[in-house]
Amino acid sequence: MEKESVINLVKTISSERNRHLEYFAARERWIDILVSGLTITSEQQKGEYVLLIGNEGSGKTAICSKLSEMLLQSVTISGLEEKEVRKLAPWLPAVLLHFGKQSGQTHRIVESLVEQANTLLSNRVSFEIPEKLSDFGNAFRQDQNLRETIQYHEILYQVLDQLVQERGQAIVILDAIDEISFDGTQLSFLPKQLPEGVKVLLTTRPYEKLVRWINNYLKTVKKVHLEYFDRTEIPLVTRIDDQKGPEEHQFNERVWKASGGWPIHVAAIAQDLRNKKGNIQSVNIYSNIESLLRKHAKVWETEVFVANQRFKLREILFLLAIFEPVIPLRLEEIQSYLEFLGIELEQPDLYAQLENVATQVEGLDTNQIKLRFKIFADFVCGTYFSLRDVRRRFKKIVQWLIQEKEEIPDATIASFLSCWTDSSFVKDAKCREVALQLLSDLSENHETKRISHIVWYLWKESGKHTPLAKECLHLLKQAGDFQSLALLSFNLISGDGVEKHVEEGEKWLRIGAESGCSDAMYFLSICLLKGLGMKKDGQKAEAWLRKAAEAGHQDAMLELAKQLFKGELFPQ
C-alpha cells in the first residue's frame, strides 16, 4: 500500500480491530454460522452476500474482528512483502476488511479495498478515472474532483473477479454499512451480482429502509439475525466463574438480569471489573442503559487544570458527539476548536487528557478520533444536554468552522453540511439553519471553487443530486461563477458520478452559455452535437461551438475544425 490516505484508514481499522480482539469472548455459535456462510467450496462457488443484522451494541464489529482472525487460520501466508503488509493489515490475505464507522466515504472505502486486494494480486487493478470522461476537453481532465468521480461498483467487481482468477476466492467484510448509508442510497458501490467464488459479509442495525434496499438491489443475500448473549455466555465475558462459589454465581445472575444479555452493557460491566481488579463487590451494576450512559458522560465532567487553565472535558465530548455521524477528527482540529473557545492546550497535554477517556473513544493512536458508540453520541446530544444547550453549543461549532475554514478540508465541510442540513437526520430546524450559515459564509466571501468542490463531494458520496447540492448550484449562479456551474451542469446531463437530471442540467448550462461563459457554450454544443440529454441539432451545435471558439475556448476551436473537416453535421 502506497497512498497515505489508505494507510491511515487501514491503521485506524487495525487499531479498532485489535481493541475488539483483546477481550473478545463467547459468540462461538455466531462465529460458526458466519464462518460456514463465508466458506467457499467446490460445491458452493456462487457469489453471495451475507447480511448480519443486529441491534446497536450487539457486538457486530467485535464478531467481524474475530472472523477476520479465524478465517486467517485456514490461509497460507507467503510473499516478499508479507511481513510489511500484515503489520499494517493483519487480516490479509484472508479477507478484505472495512469498518463503516471508520469511514463512510464511498471513494475511501473502495480505494482501501482495492489497495488491500492489490497487495495480493500479480495483475493490479487500477483505481483511476475512466477514459470516457477525457473525451470532453481539458476542463474535465484538469478537475481533480471529477477525476475521482468513477464507477465504483465496476472497479470493485473487477478487483474481486481478479482475486478469484489469481487466488481462487475472495472474502470481504464490510461492517456497519448503516454508518455509510441508513437507507442504502450511498451503497451503490456494491456490485449487484458478485463474481463466482466471492462472499461478502455486510453488517447493519435493523433499519427498515436499508434492509429493503438490500433486498431490492443486491442479488443472492443470506440474512443472519444476531441475538444478545445468553446466560451461559455471561461468565465468559465477565471472567467470573459461576462454579467458583455462590457469590460469583449471584454476581453473574445480577449482570444477566440487569443487562438482558445486551453485549454493550455486559462489556461495560466487564471493563469496570478489569479496572477494579476483578473485585465484584465494588462494581456497580446499572439497571438500565441510560444510567450506564450517564456514568460514561460523567467521566467527561472531570475538571482539567493545565498551563494555568481550567476547563471540563465535556467541551471535547460535545464536539465529538456532533462529529460522530460526520467524520473522525484529528488532534489538531480538536486543539483548534479549544483555542476558539479560549482554551490553549498543547497537543501532548490534549492527548494525555483523551487517554483518560480512552475506553469511550477510538482512533486516538491513529489521530482519527471518534466516539466509540453512536448510542452514546445520541445520548449526549439528545438527553445529557438540553435542546437549548445543544443549539448554543452547535452554533459555536459552526462559528469555529467558519473562522477556521481555510484550515479545514472541503470534504469535512461537505460531510458536515450533508449531515446537519438533512431534515431526515436533524429534526431541529434551528440547528439546520445554523449549519447552512457555513454555506452562506462561503457564498458571501465568493469562495465559489469551494462551493463547487462541496457539490462534487456530495455527489461522490451519494450519487444523488441532493437538495443541498441544488442550493449550491443556486449560489454559484448568484455569484456568477458560470464556469463551475457549466462543469456541474454537464455532469447532471451526462450522469457521470451522479444520477441524471437532464432538465435541470440543461437549464443551468443554457443560463451559463447565454451569460457568455465559453465553457457553458462548448458543453452545450457538445450535448446538441452528440444528442446527450437533448435532441441532436447540428445547426444549433455549430452556432454555440462558433461562439465558444470566438471567445477563445481551445477545445471549441479544435472541435469546430474537426467537424468542419468531417462535414458530417456542419457544411464544409
Side-chain angles (χ1 to χ4, degrees):
M1 299 181 198
E2 299 175 353
K3 295 183 180 179
E4 184 178 357
S5 59
V6 173
I7 291 172
N8 290 337
L9 176 57
V10 170
K11 283 181 177 179
T12 304
I13 293 169
S14 183
S15 172
E16 180 66 3
R17 174 181 179 268
N18 290 340
R19 183 184 70 83
H20 283 288
L21 290 176
E22 184 176 6
Y23 297 110
F24 186 89
R27 297 311 219 180
E28 289 184 5
R29 172 193 166 200
W30 300 101
I31 292 293
D32 289 343
I33 289 172
L34 293 170
V35 167
S36 175
L38 295 174
T39 300
I40 299 164
T41 65
S42 56
E43 293 78 24
Q44 179 52 270
Q45 285 283 323
K46 188 175 182 180
E48 185 177 47
Y49 285 99
V50 178
L51 179 64
L52 179 65
I53 303 172
N55 290 331
E56 171 87 17
S58 57
K60 298 181 293 296
T61 304
I63 287 174
C64 287
S65 300
K66 190 63 177 179
L67 269 174
S68 70
E69 183 181 69
M70 295 285 292
L71 292 169
L72 197 62
Q73 297 173 6
S74 60
V75 176
T76 302
I77 301 172
S78 62
L80 294 175
E81 301 180 6
E82 175 254 317
K83 287 185 179 180
E84 182 180 345
V85 170
R86 294 209 63 244
K87 182 179 180 181
L88 182 62
W91 52 85
L92 291 172
V95 301
L96 309 183
L97 181 65
H98 181 76
F99 292 160
K101 194 168 177 64
Q102 306 308 320
S103 177
Q105 298 176 2
T106 301
H107 68 288
R108 293 192 71 198
I109 296 168
V110 178
E111 185 179 42
S112 172
L113 294 175
V114 170
E115 285 294 300
Q116 290 180 48
N118 279 335
T119 65
L120 311 175
L121 294 173
S122 299
N123 296 313
R124 294 168 59 89
V125 173
S126 177
F127 188 73
E128 299 295 337
I129 180 174
E131 287 299 320
K132 65 177 182 178
L133 294 183
S134 66
D135 294 338
F136 299 104
N138 288 325
F140 280 85
R141 289 191 290 271
Q142 292 170 359
D143 194 285
Q144 181 61 32
N145 291 286
L146 179 59
R147 288 179 62 82
E148 296 174 355
T149 304
I150 53 182
Q151 300 298 319
Y152 297 112
H153 65 279
E154 294 177 3
I155 291 177
L156 192 53
Y157 184 97
Q158 182 184 356
V159 79
L160 293 175
D161 190 49
Q162 190 65 31
L163 280 170
V164 173
Q165 290 181 37
E166 293 192 22
R167 301 182 62 85
Q169 66 176 39
I171 299 175
V172 182
I173 297 177
L174 284 176
D175 176 52
I177 59 171
D178 48 313
E179 295 282 354
I180 304 168
S181 176
F182 72 94
D183 60 2
T185 55
Q186 298 181 40
L187 295 175
S188 56
F189 68 89
L190 295 171
K192 289 186 178 182
Q193 182 72 55
L194 293 170
E196 284 194 1
V198 176
K199 299 278 185 159
V200 176
L201 173 64
L202 309 173
T203 78
T204 180
R205 286 165 286 190
Y207 289 166
E208 184 179 345
K209 285 185 178 180
L210 177 54
V211 174
R212 188 187 309 124
W213 182 91
I214 289 171
N215 287 335
N216 294 335
Y217 183 84
L218 301 179
K219 308 293 183 184
T220 319
V221 181
K222 178 191 295 183
K223 296 187 187 68
V224 178
H225 292 270
L226 181 62
E227 298 172 3
Y228 291 170
F229 290 136
D230 61 36
R231 174 60 179 85
T232 64
E233 292 178 295
I234 300 299
L236 300 176
V237 181
T238 62
R239 301 190 180 183
I240 300 296
D241 188 357
D242 267 342
Q243 307 302 317
K244 188 174 181 180
E247 190 175 3
E248 286 76 10
H249 184 273
Q250 185 181 21
F251 175 82
N252 284 328
E253 279 292 313
R254 290 173 58 212
V255 172
W256 166 245
K257 289 178 181 177
S259 66
W262 193 17
I264 190 175
H265 196 161
V266 179
I269 296 171
Q271 178 64 48
D272 200 16
L273 265 172
R274 289 192 291 272
N275 293 341
K276 295 175 179 178
K277 310 299 183 184
N279 185 348
I280 60 178
Q281 286 82 15
S282 62
V283 175
N284 191 345
I285 301 175
Y286 291 92
S287 59
N288 59 64
I289 192 62
E290 183 174 329
S291 299
L292 180 63
L293 294 173
R294 195 167 291 279
K295 174 196 170 187
H296 286 331
K298 283 185 178 179
V299 177
W300 297 80
E301 293 296 336
T302 303
E303 190 169 51
V304 177
F305 183 72
V306 178
N308 297 319
Q309 297 179 98
R310 290 182 183 274
F311 74 98
K312 289 187 176 182
L313 287 178
R314 69 178 178 188
E315 302 295 348
I316 301 173
L317 171 62
F318 187 79
L319 177 69
L320 292 178
I322 291 298
F323 272 87
E324 190 278 334
V326 179
I327 200 169
L329 291 174
R330 294 175 293 119
L331 283 167
E332 303 93 297
E333 291 165 335
I334 299 173
Q335 194 177 17
S336 169
Y337 177 66
L338 291 176
E339 287 177 5
F340 174 78
L341 297 179
I343 303 165
E344 294 185 4
L345 199 63
E346 292 187 346
Q347 190 162 301
D349 295 324
L350 175 58
Y351 187 95
Q353 294 305 321
L354 287 173
E355 280 188 311
N356 294 328
V357 289
T359 59
Q360 298 183 37
V361 298
E362 56 190 31
L364 185 57
D365 55 344
T366 57
N367 201 17
Q368 295 288 313
I369 302 159
K370 214 174 183 187
L371 288 182
R372 183 151 285 164
F373 298 111
K374 182 180 184 299
I375 192 173
F376 183 46
D378 292 343
F379 171 79
V380 169
C381 294
T383 301
Y384 192 66
F385 289 105
S386 70
L387 180 58
R388 185 178 295 274
D389 294 333
V390 169
R391 287 173 175 172
R392 183 178 62 252
R393 287 175 171 274
F394 185 75
K395 188 174 182 178
K396 286 182 180 179
I397 289 175
V398 172
Q399 290 171 343
W400 163 64
L401 289 171
I402 290 172
Q403 178 175 300
E404 300 296 324
K405 61 180 181 290
E406 297 303 323
E407 304 299 323
I408 297 172
D410 291 343
T412 299
I413 291 177
S415 296
F416 182 86
L417 286 169
S418 178
C419 175
W420 285 98
T421 61
D422 184 353
S423 60
S424 66
F425 174 74
V426 183
K427 301 305 179 184
D428 184 49
K430 288 191 176 181
C431 280
R432 297 199 304 271
E433 290 172 8
V434 170
L436 280 171
Q437 290 176 8
L438 181 54
L439 194 59
S440 298
D441 177 79
L442 293 175
S443 177
E444 290 167 7
N445 288 283
H446 304 287
E447 297 184 58
T448 55
K449 291 301 179 187
R450 296 198 76 178
I451 293 174
S452 67
H453 289 170
I454 287 170
V455 177
W456 290 123
Y457 283 114
L458 294 172
W459 285 354
K460 224 170 23 173
E461 292 315 306
S462 69
K464 304 289 184 182
H465 188 44
T466 62
L468 181 60
K470 292 178 181 180
E471 176 64 21
C472 287
L473 295 188
H474 280 284
L475 292 176
L476 290 174
K477 187 256 184 181
Q478 290 174 11
D481 186 355
F482 295 108
Q483 183 181 31
S484 296
L485 192 59
L487 283 166
L488 296 165
S489 301
F490 187 85
N491 262 48
L492 285 174
I493 293 170
S494 64
D496 278 321
V498 65
E499 61 184 358
K500 286 186 179 182
H501 280 260
V502 174
E503 186 175 338
E504 184 178 356
E506 182 179 352
K507 177 189 76 173
W508 291 122
L509 204 54
R510 288 189 182 276
I511 288 174
E514 289 163 3
S515 299
C517 173
S518 61
D519 273 346
M521 295 175 189
Y522 170 66
F523 292 137
L524 181 57
S525 72
I526 291 297
C527 289
L528 291 165
L529 182 64
K530 298 181 180 292
L532 189 60
M534 55 191 78
K535 186 178 179 180
K536 281 188 178 183
D537 192 323
Q539 186 176 1
K540 290 181 180 179
E542 179 183 6
W544 283 116
L545 201 55
R546 286 187 182 278
K547 286 183 180 181
E550 289 166 3
H553 197 285
Q554 291 186 354
D555 288 325
M557 295 178 191
L558 290 171
E559 185 65 32
L560 181 61
K562 184 172 73 173
Q563 292 299 328
L564 289 173
F565 179 78
K566 288 166 62 178
E568 293 179 1
L569 289 178
F570 301 162
Q572 289 187 347

